[in-house]
Amino acid sequence: MTDFEAIKLLREHRRKMSRFPAGSLVRFRASPPDDLGQSNIGIVQRDAALSAVIVLYIDSDNQPQQAVAAVSDLYIAEGERHDISD
């Protein structure tokens, strides 16, 4: 296996392991962040690590904020479910 083939294989594996690619709509299972504003929804800011992602959300003052959330504390919003099978 060449270095190029190894890198390609590892990138493909990481893509499958990263459940929340950038731009995914997600909801919080638990309470991070504490202030979710009027709706429990956010957008993944950049590619997920295997354990945590940065999520943009709206606080109660209607200001965009960001929070680091564990992958286990998030789930794909209903309209985005088709993305996780890619």
Side-chain angles (χ1 to χ4, degrees):
M1 178 179 285
T2 67
D3 287 352
F4 179 75
E5 290 169 331
I7 290 167
K8 184 177 176 183
L9 182 63
L10 289 170
R11 282 183 176 160
E12 179 64 21
H13 178 69
R14 183 184 182 279
R15 186 186 69 77
K16 289 179 181 177
M17 294 293 290
S18 297
R19 294 173 40 209
F20 304 109
S24 295
L25 294 176
V26 291
R27 294 187 186 279
F28 295 86
R29 291 186 196 280
S31 59
D34 292 331
D35 182 1
L36 289 171
Q38 295 183 5
S39 64
N40 178 8
I41 194 163
I43 298 176
V44 174
Q45 183 173 349
R46 63 183 184 213
D47 286 345
L50 295 182
S51 59
V53 296
I54 296 177
V55 178
L56 298 176
Y57 68 98
I58 301 295
D59 67 14
S60 60
D61 293 327
N62 294 325
Q63 296 299 310
Q65 302 293 338
Q66 67 179 25
V68 176
V71 168
S72 60
D73 288 336
L74 300 172
Y75 62 95
I76 295 285
E78 194 65 37
E80 294 278 309
R81 293 213 181 269
H82 62 277
D83 288 349
I84 61 172
S85 63
D86 291 345

